[in-house]
Amino acid sequence: MLVEAVLGNAAEPDWRDRLSQTHVDRLVLDQWEAQKRRLRKRTSGGVEVALSLARDTHLHDGDVLAWDGAAGTATVVQLMLGEVMAVELPPGTPIRTAVELGHAIGNQHWPAVVNGTTVYVPVTVDRRVMDSVMRTHAFAGIKHEFVEGTEVLAFLAPHEARRLFGGAEAAGHTHLPADGS
């Protein structure tokens, strides 16, 4: 099946009603696959789907890719985004604290996206390690929590989502001597 456009989204009232009476076949995408406009993958039901989407198209959880009313079937995107650490900077956070937070996150080579007063960091290592780093620095007035990526996706612009979820895969980085030993 070739998909060149998104037909709608399961959260829209019209689609919600249609899909309630339909067999829904899920195209499950992880956080890296969801950023791609061109992709070949099988649905949960075994149907091979080839995505060839326009440059300005971004897939969202619940996007309807195919609909066959006569057969009573639909293909719908199911995003499986990883966990995210959300760090909230309260209004009036001193610049010093913000810079120290940036240094701590950067020193760990964790990708981050700043959106309003929240810094989102994909969980790229064991969350206990990330929690330990945050507690060790004891940033005054700054709180952090771990949330599912699908919970923050609605707050992000497409380029922020790509940076947050698409860049997590390459975040692992080690410091090795120049000769590689």
Side-chain angles (χ1 to χ4, degrees):
M1 169 190 335
L2 176 63
V3 175
E4 296 178 304
V6 174
L7 303 176
N9 190 282
E12 298 166 0
D14 182 45
W15 280 106
R16 189 173 37 245
D17 293 344
R18 283 193 224 177
L19 295 173
S20 69
Q21 308 298 321
T22 302
H23 168 73
V24 175
D25 192 8
R26 302 276 177 196
L27 179 64
V28 180
L29 302 175
D30 67 26
Q31 59 195 43
W32 298 284
E33 294 168 323
Q35 308 307 314
K36 297 181 179 183
R37 295 180 300 109
R38 305 224 185 291
L39 176 75
R40 285 182 91 95
K41 188 167 183 175
R42 292 196 181 277
T43 66
S44 299
V47 176
E48 187 170 353
V49 174
L51 295 178
S52 181
L53 301 171
R55 184 172 296 267
D56 61 344
T57 303
H58 303 284
L59 292 176
H60 300 92
D61 191 54
D63 278 351
V64 180
L65 303 178
W67 165 256
D68 184 341
T73 61
T75 302
V76 177
V77 171
Q78 180 179 353
L79 293 185
M80 301 299 291
L81 300 179
E83 213 175 14
V84 173
M85 179 173 67
V87 181
E88 188 62 37
L89 301 172
T93 298
I95 292 175
R96 177 185 183 97
T97 303
V99 169
E100 288 173 352
L101 173 65
H103 181 271
I105 290 171
N107 197 40
Q108 298 297 320
H109 301 280
W110 295 336
V113 170
V114 178
N115 185 290
T117 60
T118 306
V119 178
Y120 296 108
V121 181
V123 176
T124 58
V125 297
D126 189 309
R127 70 189 281 188
R128 290 175 297 191
V129 171
M130 295 178 83
D131 185 57
S132 176
V133 167
M134 295 300 292
R135 284 185 291 108
T136 299
H137 286 281
F139 299 111
I142 294 179
K143 295 183 169 93
H144 71 281
E145 66 177 331
F146 295 92
V147 297
E148 290 301 318
T150 52
E151 291 180 33
V152 302
L153 195 59
F155 303 113
L156 302 174
H159 72 280
E160 292 172 323
R162 281 192 301 279
R163 259 195 7 237
L164 185 63
F165 297 113
E169 175 178 53
H173 179 102
T174 58
H175 292 270
L176 296 175
D179 65 359
S181 58

